[in-house]
Amino acid sequence: MNELLLNALLTGRAQPFTRPGSRSGIAKAPRQEPLAVTALGLAGDEQGDLRVHGGVEKAIHHYPREHYAAWRRELGEHPLLEQPGAFGENFSTTGWTEGDVCLGDVIRAGSALLQVSQGRMPCWKLSDRFGIADLALRVQESGRTGWYYRVIEEGTVRAGDPLQLVERAHADWSLSRLSAVLFDRRVEPELLRECLALPLVPSWRRTLERRLEKAEVEDWAPRLQGAGVAQQGS
């Protein structure tokens, strides 16, 4: 995986969102100055619902800029697709996608050291943001979800800094492969056991353990449509 540059660095403040009582920090704006990277993410970045967003396992969200062209082909011209930040990402780059990045990859970003913790599980807030009722489901089915980092070493980062892979422990498990298991409506016990041997975040581990125990896939509607409290938000 080649070194690439951080094309845009973005943060956003939590604010009232589209549904009564909801808040979100999904609207991000570019930052040019160096930002502190802490265990909870970038200085100046906020999340609206800390039960399902943010935290140490979702400190920074990375979304590939090259996916925007695919979304334009599918959705047509949309004002949100004119600049980075449409998907609530903190990092925007060209050169890495979910097929290139593996679970547990350790990445140097500026003076901070990050680790790929999980792919994104899209929620209804993406659909509301774009005004497209099934967009969260389409993001999930496309595999163009982006991914999250946890912070191993705090530091600073700014737009234009290089991102460099420094360690890879699970080369057989790209995020594309792992997401294909997570978003599969079938239950394949041996594959689930193989996944459970990986260093999964607690929420993913609980999800796959329940599937294995119950031999059925959980209901995705609360997360994708917002019916009740989303259990695993974006």
Side-chain angles (χ1 to χ4, degrees):
M1 193 164 72
N2 294 329
E3 179 181 298
L4 48 69
L5 296 182
L6 181 56
N7 299 133
L9 178 66
L10 307 105
T11 65
R13 297 291 189 181
Q15 54 192 310
F17 199 51
T18 54
R19 306 187 190 186
S22 69
R23 292 173 60 80
S24 179
I26 197 170
K28 307 293 187 188
R31 303 282 296 275
Q32 299 303 320
E33 71 275 23
L35 297 182
V37 180
T38 73
L40 293 178
L42 300 173
D45 197 44
E46 295 179 348
Q47 297 81 34
D49 185 350
L50 294 175
R51 295 171 301 173
V52 291
H53 303 131
V56 295
E57 301 293 358
K58 300 178 183 177
I60 295 173
H61 182 241
H62 189 152
Y63 198 79
R65 179 70 168 161
E66 51 262 59
H67 289 342
Y68 279 56
W71 289 119
R72 286 193 196 92
R73 290 192 295 270
E74 295 181 23
L75 305 178
E77 293 300 319
H78 192 291
L80 287 174
L81 296 175
E82 294 177 2
Q83 58 277 319
F87 295 86
E89 64 266 35
N90 302 117
F91 284 7
S92 177
T93 64
T94 300
W96 295 350
T97 68
E98 296 80 0
D100 303 304
V101 176
C102 295
L103 183 71
D105 280 356
V106 177
I107 307 294
R108 177 67 68 183
S111 62
L113 197 64
L114 313 177
Q115 186 173 39
V116 176
S117 56
Q118 63 187 100
R120 183 184 194 163
M121 297 184 75
C123 80
W124 60 269
K125 288 184 177 179
L126 276 176
S127 300
D128 281 19
R129 176 162 167 75
F130 275 79
I132 299 172
D134 66 342
L135 185 66
L137 176 61
R138 292 168 72 167
V139 169
Q140 176 172 301
E141 291 178 338
S142 72
R144 298 190 294 266
T145 62
W147 58 89
Y148 289 103
Y149 297 109
R150 65 173 64 92
V151 177
I152 298 177
E153 294 178 6
E154 297 184 346
T156 60
V157 67
R158 72 182 302 165
D161 278 348
L163 301 184
Q164 181 182 25
L165 174 69
V166 298
E167 182 181 331
R168 171 166 285 175
H170 303 285
D172 292 337
W173 281 98
S174 70
L175 293 180
S176 292
R177 184 184 179 199
L178 191 56
S179 293
V181 175
L182 196 69
F183 299 140
D184 194 343
R185 294 187 182 276
R186 300 166 297 176
V187 175
E188 300 186 32
E190 290 306 316
L191 189 55
L192 292 179
R193 291 188 185 96
E194 190 176 350
C195 288
L196 286 167
L198 298 168
L200 302 176
V201 296
S203 61
W204 284 31
R205 181 169 299 281
R206 288 193 299 269
T207 294
L208 298 187
E209 285 175 342
R210 284 195 296 264
R211 285 187 195 177
L212 195 58
E213 177 185 354
K214 297 181 178 181
E216 64 181 20
V217 175
E218 67 281 357
D219 181 12
W220 296 335
R223 172 171 55 84
L224 293 172
Q225 299 170 20
V229 178
Q231 295 300 308
Q232 299 170 64
S234 65

